[in-house]
């Protein structure tokens, strides 16, 4: 049985995988608004992408990238209910906008064939970490000393 779409699995397998798409994704801060439901894609579960779902709360400076970010809230809680994320890490769940759909399709084209043989596995691609300041950082944006 596969976890439902957009729901983070309880114990994913870890598989470091390059992500050439997210660091180059060009989204402005204005693409998201408070109240938007979003997901931060983290890997593959069965034949679908999975990630952590959240709600956009308020603008917040994203120190790891020195750019405008968003404070987001994970309704499931976890070790950090509120974190700050860069807009390029987020994908709309409810609203299927063209930018997010293009990004989703590109991520599916990149990842689903790569893990096709692992249909029953939940794969965490290891792209993100959370800093001590509650800032979500993609490995492509990580800088020493931050």
């Amino acid at each position: 049985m596969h976890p439902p779409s957009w729901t983070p699995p309880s114990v994913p397998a870890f598989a470091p995988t390059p992500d050439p798409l997210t660091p180059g994704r060009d989204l402005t801060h204005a693409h998201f608004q408070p109240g938007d439901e979003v997901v931060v894609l983290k890997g593959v579960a069965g034949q679908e992408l999975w990630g952590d779902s959240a709600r956009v709360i308020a603008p917040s400076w994203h120190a790891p990238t020195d750019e405008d970010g968003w404070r987001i809230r994970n309704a499931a809680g976890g070790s950090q209910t509120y974190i700050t994320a860069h807009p390029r890490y987020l994908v709309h769940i409810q609203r299927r906008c063209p930018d997010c759909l293009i990004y989703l399709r590109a991520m599916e084209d990149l990842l689903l064939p790569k893990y096709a043989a692992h249909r029953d596995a939940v794969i965490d691609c290891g792209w993100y970490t959370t800093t001590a300041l509650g800032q979500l950082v993609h490995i492509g944006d990580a800088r020493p000393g931050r």
Side-chain angles (χ1 to χ4, degrees):
M1 180 176 177
H2 300 292
S5 298
W6 309 111
T7 303
S10 56
V11 183
F14 179 71
T17 305
D19 173 13
L21 302 175
T22 305
R25 189 174 180 216
D26 186 23
L27 275 182
T28 67
H29 184 262
H31 184 82
F32 297 97
Q33 300 296 317
D36 284 354
E37 289 185 36
V38 296
V39 66
V40 176
L41 297 176
K42 294 198 170 182
V44 176
Q47 295 179 1
E48 295 183 309
L49 300 177
W50 73 266
D52 292 334
S53 61
R55 183 174 301 275
V56 173
I57 303 297
S60 182
W61 188 251
H62 190 252
T65 59
D66 288 333
E67 297 180 52
D68 286 331
W70 284 103
R71 196 74 171 154
I72 60 175
R73 178 182 182 272
N74 179 345
S79 60
Q80 290 187 303
T81 302
Y82 292 92
I83 58 173
T84 299
H86 193 283
R88 69 175 155 254
Y89 306 163
L90 310 176
V91 178
H92 280 110
I93 294 176
Q94 291 173 290
R95 188 168 60 103
R96 295 296 188 184
C97 62
D99 290 321
C100 289
L101 287 174
I102 289 167
Y103 175 68
L104 275 173
R105 173 52 65 101
M107 291 297 277
E108 287 173 342
D109 290 348
L110 176 74
L111 294 174
L112 296 183
K114 180 178 181 93
Y115 295 109
H118 305 283
R119 294 182 188 272
D120 295 326
V122 177
I123 309 294
D124 179 346
C125 292
W127 299 320
Y128 294 97
T129 189
T130 305
T131 70
L133 298 176
Q135 305 258 335
L136 189 67
V137 183
H138 188 280
I139 59 172
D141 291 328
R143 293 185 291 188
R146 289 213 169 175

